[in-house]
């Protein structure tokens, strides 16, 4: 089935390269967390047969995740050329989108109100997702990988290890970054259950309700609601503001 589906109630949201990368990355991060816990707390965590197995699996998985990260960057930056658009919040996201989406996750969802953001193939992430992924993919993941490479090559990279404050500092930083990644993973899984995010990452397609395809005036009546750029009424509002 092609990306331009003839079915009006479905959109092709996640191409197969993205889905493959996502699940390799997810499994890799879980494996890193499990093996890392046994390396850090060998007396309390004994999920693997021995300490050496945990280290070996951790190192190999770290290399796999690093290669996977490179694939992700190459695909979005070089192949699709949509990295900036997808992951960097714009002015509207920072001014209104973050607060609006936070209110939805904390309150509006439990009151049965619709999400203020509808994903499209060109705009997959809401403002909170953009901000979180920007921090994770451009700060957290590179730092975890860099500190892991330093710890994996202490002797040949001893000059860089000393420049970074020594092995104890790098070990502590790597552990704190891993804890932050674990916190993000838990939050990511929870928020994925608040919307239709899991199915598109499995099959690529997302089912869209008919009212999402047509301009409607109802959302404007919701207190605190501000239309987003992908709603037709938002374009009308912007046009009226320019006319005025």
């Amino acid at each position: 089935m092609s990306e331009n589906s003839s079915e009006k109630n479905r959109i092709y949201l996640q191409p197969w390269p993205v889905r493959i990368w996502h699940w390799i990355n997810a499994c890799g991060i879980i494996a890193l967390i499990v093996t890392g816990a046994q390396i850090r707390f060998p007396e309390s965590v004994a999920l693997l047969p021995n300490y050496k197995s945990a280290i070996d699996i951790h190192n190999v998985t770290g290399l796999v995740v690093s290669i996977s990260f490179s694939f992700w960057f190459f695909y979005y930056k070089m192949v699709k050329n949509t990295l900036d658009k997808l992951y960097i919040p714009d002015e509207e996201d920072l001014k209104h989108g973050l607060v609006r989406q936070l209110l939805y996750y904390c309150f509006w969802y439990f009151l049965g109100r619709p999400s203020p953001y509808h994903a499209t193939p060109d705009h997959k992430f809401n403002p909170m997702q953009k901000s979180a992924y920007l921090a994770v993919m451009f700060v957290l993941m590179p730092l975890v990988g860099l500190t892991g490479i330093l710890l994996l090559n202490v002797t040949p990279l001893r000059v860089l290890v000393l420049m970074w404050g020594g092995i104890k500092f790098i070990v502590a930083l790597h552990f704190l970054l891993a804890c932050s990644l674990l916190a993000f993973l838990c939050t990511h899984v929870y928020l994925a259950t608040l919307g239709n995010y899991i199915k598109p990452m499995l099959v690529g397609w997302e089912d869209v309700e008919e009212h999402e395809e047509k301009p409607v005036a109802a959302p404007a009546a919701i207190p605190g609601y501000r239309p987003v750029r992908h709603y037709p009424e938002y374009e009308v509002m912007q046009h009226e503001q320019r006319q005025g």
Side-chain angles (χ1 to χ4, degrees), residues 12-216:
Y12 192 63
L13 196 61
Q14 303 291 355
W16 65 265
V18 175
R19 301 200 306 273
I20 292 175
W21 164 80
H22 177 273
W23 293 113
I24 290 176
N25 197 57
C27 294
I29 290 177
I30 292 173
L32 286 172
I33 291 172
V34 171
T35 55
Q38 183 159 340
I39 293 171
R40 187 68 175 82
F41 307 104
E43 299 86 0
S44 304
V45 181
L47 298 176
L48 296 170
N50 53 65
Y51 191 77
K52 185 179 184 303
S53 297
I55 293 177
D56 291 340
I57 295 175
H58 192 82
N59 292 341
V60 172
T61 306
L63 292 175
V64 171
V65 170
S66 298
I67 295 172
S68 171
F69 178 85
S70 301
F71 169 80
W72 165 84
F73 184 85
F74 176 81
Y75 178 79
Y76 274 122
K77 188 65 177 178
M78 304 301 178
V79 178
K80 302 293 287 186
N81 195 27
T82 56
L83 189 69
D84 297 346
K85 183 194 302 183
L86 288 177
Y87 288 92
I88 299 180
D90 58 24
E91 184 178 358
E92 167 65 15
D93 293 329
L94 296 175
K95 280 186 176 181
H96 309 297
L98 285 172
V99 175
R100 179 175 54 231
Q101 202 65 36
L102 180 62
L103 288 173
Y104 169 74
Y105 283 138
C106 294
F107 303 105
W108 294 353
Y109 173 82
F110 302 101
L111 297 176
R113 295 178 178 177
S115 172
Y117 190 91
H118 293 174
T120 69
D122 294 327
H123 300 273
K124 298 180 183 181
F125 307 128
N126 65 52
M128 282 192 66
Q129 288 175 314
K130 281 186 180 182
S131 302
Y133 296 156
L134 180 66
V136 170
M137 301 304 292
F138 293 94
V139 179
L140 188 58
M141 288 291 290
L143 284 177
V144 169
L146 180 58
T147 53
I149 291 172
L150 291 175
L151 293 174
L152 188 60
N153 302 274
V154 174
T155 301
L157 298 178
R158 58 183 177 277
V159 175
L160 289 176
V161 170
L162 292 174
M163 287 177 58
W164 273 66
I167 189 170
K168 288 186 178 181
F169 175 79
I170 295 175
V171 168
L173 179 60
H174 190 73
F175 175 72
L176 291 175
L177 292 169
C179 290
S180 301
L181 195 58
L182 174 60
F184 165 78
L185 180 63
C186 295
T187 305
H188 179 68
V189 172
Y190 168 70
L191 293 180
T193 65
L194 301 186
N196 187 23
Y197 299 117
I198 298 177
K199 182 179 178 181
M201 197 55 73
L202 291 172
V203 301
W205 296 91
E206 179 178 10
D207 296 327
V208 180
E209 298 293 336
E210 289 186 3
H211 71 271
E212 296 178 1
E213 299 286 331
K214 303 175 182 179
V216 291

